[in-house]
Amino acid sequence: MKAIYGLEANYVEDGEAIAINTNREILKDCQYTIFDIETTGLSAVNDKIIQLSAVKMKNGVVLDTFDQFINPGFPLSEQTINLTGITDDLVKNSKPEAEVLKMFQQFYAGTILAGHNVIKFDYGFVNHALAVHKLPKINTLVIDTLNLARWLYPNFGRYTLDFLSKKI
């Protein structure tokens, strides 16, 4: 930036980020890991990840899948059970968070991460959990399909995966 005396300017974000940790890759040549998490609440600091699922793809072909429940170390609330459909029976004998996170890092290594609303939610939750367990944070390209859909189709009004899959 160059200062111009007498000029007042404001920096305004043009919208939500579509991608983070960007680099110069030819996207059509890459493998993608599309991921989603289920949690006990909305706070990455106070709540826990209870399920981490992903699918690895290239050129529209599924290469591998990943699906792990995580034992949070406490009984799930009725609200969490009703919202996610995950019960105490599903998580009680599951692996601990640190082990699942290490497995997930190995699973997505060398791929681009993508998902719906991942930048505002999943990415932060996973990175916080990684930091708690002193594991390396996500440094690969992450693409948010929710923000991408909002940018590509600004007049839709709804951007749920169900709605988008029927419209596009």
Side-chain angles (χ1 to χ4, degrees):
M1 290 182 75
K2 180 179 178 182
I4 301 173
Y5 296 105
L7 174 71
E8 181 178 328
N10 295 311
Y11 175 77
V12 178
E13 281 290 330
D14 201 18
E16 298 290 333
I18 294 170
I20 51 177
N21 302 331
T22 57
N23 49 33
R24 296 186 182 270
E25 294 184 82
I26 299 173
L27 297 179
K28 69 181 178 89
D29 296 337
C30 295
Q31 288 185 11
Y32 293 82
T33 298
I34 297 95
F35 77 107
D36 188 34
I37 62 172
E38 296 297 337
T39 65
T40 59
L42 300 175
S43 169
V45 174
N46 299 318
D47 295 305
K48 297 285 185 184
I49 300 170
I50 54 174
Q51 185 179 22
L52 203 159
S53 302
V55 61
K56 192 182 299 182
M57 301 185 76
K58 184 171 183 179
N59 298 324
V61 176
V62 174
L63 304 174
D64 201 358
T65 60
F66 181 93
D67 188 24
Q68 292 287 320
F69 288 110
I70 298 171
N71 187 337
F74 53 83
L76 300 176
S77 70
E78 189 174 324
Q79 180 180 0
T80 297
I81 293 168
N82 291 337
L83 189 64
T84 65
I86 299 171
T87 64
D88 288 320
D89 287 341
L90 291 172
V91 298
K92 70 180 176 185
N93 295 320
S94 299
K95 295 175 176 70
E97 187 174 66
E99 186 176 343
V100 172
L101 289 170
K102 287 178 191 174
M103 292 167 58
F104 180 60
Q105 286 180 315
Q106 291 172 351
F107 181 81
Y108 78 78
T111 70
I112 292 171
L113 287 173
H116 212 62
N117 199 33
V118 292
I119 291 177
K120 276 192 169 179
F121 189 75
D122 306 59
Y123 175 79
F125 244 100
V126 172
N127 264 343
H128 178 75
L130 290 167
V132 165
H133 298 292
K134 297 179 178 30
L135 295 168
K137 289 186 176 182
I138 296 169
N139 64 1
T140 187
L141 174 61
V142 179
I143 298 174
D144 194 316
T145 59
L146 172 63
N147 296 340
L148 180 60
R150 285 179 176 156
W151 181 73
L152 289 172
Y153 307 101
N155 299 321
F156 273 8
R158 292 183 59 206
Y159 297 93
T160 63
L161 287 173
D162 183 49
F163 178 81
L164 290 170
S165 66
K166 292 174 184 168
K167 285 293 249 185
I168 300 173

